Amino acid sequence: GNSVTQMEGPVTLSEEAFLTINCTYTATGYPSLFWYVQYPGEGLQLLLKATKADDKGSNKGFEATYRKETTSFHLEKGSVQVSDSAVYFCALSWVTGGGNKLTFGTGTQLKVEL
Amino acid sequence: GAVVSQHPSRVICKSGTSVKIECRSLDFQATTMFWYRQFPKQSLMLMATSNEGSKATYEQGVEKDKFLINHASLTLSTLTVTSAHPEDSSFYICSAREGQRNTDTQYFGPGTRLTVL
């Protein structure tokens, strides 16, 4: 079946540090891949997505590239800020008879300190 | 745009009672809504998919008589946990999808923390 594995947190970084959160997936077919972010007390927000191999999704300085050969979609940011502190979820979308559904990873908490 | 609200944000109830959670799309029409359950430090687990005006489709292992879902309008879906027990305590999250069935993007509500005593 479809599944998503992402690195456990919490990840603690100093402001302006480089961020990588690893995500790998198992899927049949060609899923779309997503990163969602959940700030404290809020719902999940779509951060970025990629729909096919070698696509790069980007938003707010975050990037992730759909790597079919390594079944990965690692999230990166060159310089994190305190305001980036949140929980990040990697997810894949797969098509069923009822439409597209999402499968999530366990989430990775990021803490950015001054 | 694309805001989804949930009510209540937190509920505590006694074992054996029923609890209703509402999910509303505030600025768009949601043809499909999803209900997820999240355990501490675990993934969001899809419970069911509801399409406006039709019966919900439940994922394997989810009891449809326990978790009643109603999607009576294009902006409202409700999840009722019937005869709740302590093992039903969890974080319940809804999401809504706009437009055509095969659209990828889901918009999520802030979640409801249910505690059953």
Side-chain angles (χ1 to χ4, degrees):
Chain A
N2 300 321
S3 66
V4 176
T5 302
Q6 59 182 108
M7 61 190 291
E8 290 190 19
V11 173
T12 303
L13 296 173
S14 299
E15 201 169 42
E16 299 183 2
F18 184 86
L19 168 71
T20 300
I21 301 179
N22 290 336
C23 171
T24 57
Y25 67 91
T26 302
T28 54
Y30 303 95
S32 294
L33 301 174
F34 303 81
W35 278 99
Y36 281 86
V37 58
Q38 186 175 32
Y39 298 102
E42 298 183 17
L44 274 72
Q45 300 174 26
L46 178 63
L47 181 59
L48 53 85
K49 64 185 274 190
T51 58
K52 61 183 187 297
D54 300 325
D55 266 3
K56 178 186 284 187
S58 61
N59 185 26
K60 299 180 181 179
F62 290 90
E63 293 183 340
T65 301
Y66 190 143
R67 301 286 188 201
K68 188 170 182 292
E69 64 275 15
T70 54
T71 62
S72 65
F73 193 55
H74 304 321
L75 182 68
E76 296 181 336
K77 186 174 185 181
S79 176
V80 294
Q81 306 298 313
V82 172
S83 57
D84 293 326
S85 298
V87 180
Y88 291 81
F89 291 90
C90 185
L92 65 82
S93 173
W94 47 289
V95 179
T96 72
N100 289 69
K101 294 184 178 179
L102 289 173
T103 296
F104 287 89
T106 54
T108 302
Q109 184 173 11
L110 170 65
K111 297 180 181 178
V112 181
E113 301 172 335
L114 289 172
Chain B
V3 178
V4 176
S5 69
Q6 275 185 246
H7 178 79
S9 58
R10 188 180 295 266
V11 57
I12 300 172
C13 69
K14 293 182 179 180
S15 187
T17 60
S18 294
V19 174
K20 180 185 284 187
I21 302 170
E22 293 185 347
C23 176
R24 293 181 184 272
S25 57
L26 298 185
D27 51 3
F28 66 100
Q29 292 187 326
T31 52
T32 305
M33 288 185 166
F34 301 86
W35 286 96
Y36 295 85
R37 185 172 178 178
Q38 185 180 27
F39 294 98
K41 298 186 179 181
Q42 293 191 28
S43 314
L44 280 73
M45 181 192 76
L46 179 63
M47 299 175 64
T49 303
S50 73
N51 293 294
E52 186 266 338
S54 61
K55 288 185 179 180
T57 303
Y58 290 81
E59 296 299 305
Q60 194 171 14
V62 178
E63 299 176 62
K64 61 180 181 181
D65 294 331
K66 178 133 185 94
F67 299 100
L68 300 179
I69 291 171
N70 184 279
H71 191 165
S73 77
L74 285 171
T75 60
L76 173 64
S77 177
T78 60
L79 168 67
T80 301
V81 183
T82 62
S83 187
H85 291 283
E87 58 266 29
D88 299 324
S89 298
S90 194
F91 194 55
Y92 293 88
I93 303 172
C94 74
S95 71
R97 186 170 66 202
E98 180 181 26
Q100 294 182 356
R101 169 170 291 188
N102 288 324
T103 299
D104 282 317
T105 303
Q106 296 180 23
Y107 302 98
F108 286 81
T112 297
R113 173 76 59 192
L114 171 63
T115 303
V116 184
L117 303 176

